[in-house]
Amino acid sequence: MVTHISHSPEETLALGEAWGRAASAGLVIGLTGDLGAGKTQLAKGIARGLGITGRIHSPTFTLVNEYGGGRLPMFHVDLYRLQTAEQIATAGLEEYFRPAGVSVIEWAEKYFPVEGTKSKVQGLPAQFRRVQIETINESERRIIYEDFGA
Ligand SMILES: Nc1ncnc2c1ncn2[C@@H]1O[C@H](COP(=O)(O)OP(=O)(O)OP(=O)(O)O)[C@@H](O)[C@H]1O
Ligand SMILES: [Mg+2]
């Protein structure tokens, strides 16, 4: 498990950018954190690191936004409006959990287990990065992450 303290939105963007640069196809990045923690900010960085130049905005109503034009496609999923793993499956979102590119999932704990709990579903994606973002104060965030699989 790695802990990174971000002191600004720009620093969170830079962390995501490094992840995007290093990402390989099939990576699923699951983000957990309160409203305004910085999940979308991190997703913007990941997109930038993948070489995606378009504007990234939260797919709160569309559930998923797909971005091409980069080294790999990025699928940005927001589970905020869904409650159960069953609803997520019914909404057709499970295909984004074995992506041809990179998937970034906001409110990932609605489908994937959080630390110290048993799997809510059968197994994790082949390559999964579980990320927890905690708000320390107005400008600081604690970003804790752990990799599973390849
Ligand atoms: N160190 C930091 N890292 C990331 N964001 C920060 C930081 N400091 C302040 N912020 C601010 O916090 C907000 C994070 O918003 P963002 O939309 O990324 O959150 P979110 O977790 O996606 O929220 P939501 O649950 O509503 O989707 C932005 O306004 C950003 O400027
Ligand atoms: Mg968001």
Side-chain angles (χ1 to χ4, degrees):
M1 210 136 71
V2 181
T3 299
H4 179 100
I5 305 293
S6 164
H7 301 89
S8 66
E10 294 70 33
E11 219 179 286
T12 299
L13 195 78
L15 179 67
E17 192 173 349
W19 291 0
R21 257 188 265 113
S24 52
L27 177 64
V28 176
I29 300 178
L31 308 178
T32 294
D34 291 340
L35 288 166
K39 302 179 294 296
T40 299
Q41 184 70 11
L42 196 53
K44 285 177 180 173
I46 295 163
R48 184 184 285 191
L50 286 166
I52 293 161
T53 51
R55 231 176 83 86
I56 306 298
H57 50 87
S58 228
T60 307
F61 295 96
T62 54
L63 302 180
V64 53
N65 286 336
E66 188 173 339
Y67 298 94
R71 184 172 61 80
L72 293 168
M74 182 176 115
F75 308 96
H76 187 188
V77 181
D78 192 342
L79 302 180
Y80 182 68
R81 291 163 59 79
L82 301 174
Q83 299 310 323
T84 64
E86 194 189 355
Q87 281 177 10
I88 290 160
T90 302
L93 296 175
E94 284 177 324
E95 66 173 287
Y96 301 105
F97 306 154
R98 36 183 155 71
V102 174
S103 285
V104 180
I105 321 282
E106 299 198 30
W107 303 95
E109 72 278 16
K110 295 197 173 191
Y111 188 87
F112 297 107
V114 296
E115 202 198 338
T117 65
K118 284 244 176 158
S119 181
K120 288 182 185 172
V121 289
Q122 294 292 53
L124 288 173
Q127 268 192 85
F128 185 62
R129 175 165 295 169
R130 180 168 65 197
V131 185
Q132 168 84 41
I133 310 178
E134 296 167 7
T135 301
I136 301 170
N137 58 39
E138 207 176 300
S139 60
E140 292 181 306
R141 303 291 186 268
R142 184 177 295 109
I143 302 172
I144 304 161
Y145 62 94
E146 188 172 3
D147 287 330
F148 299 85

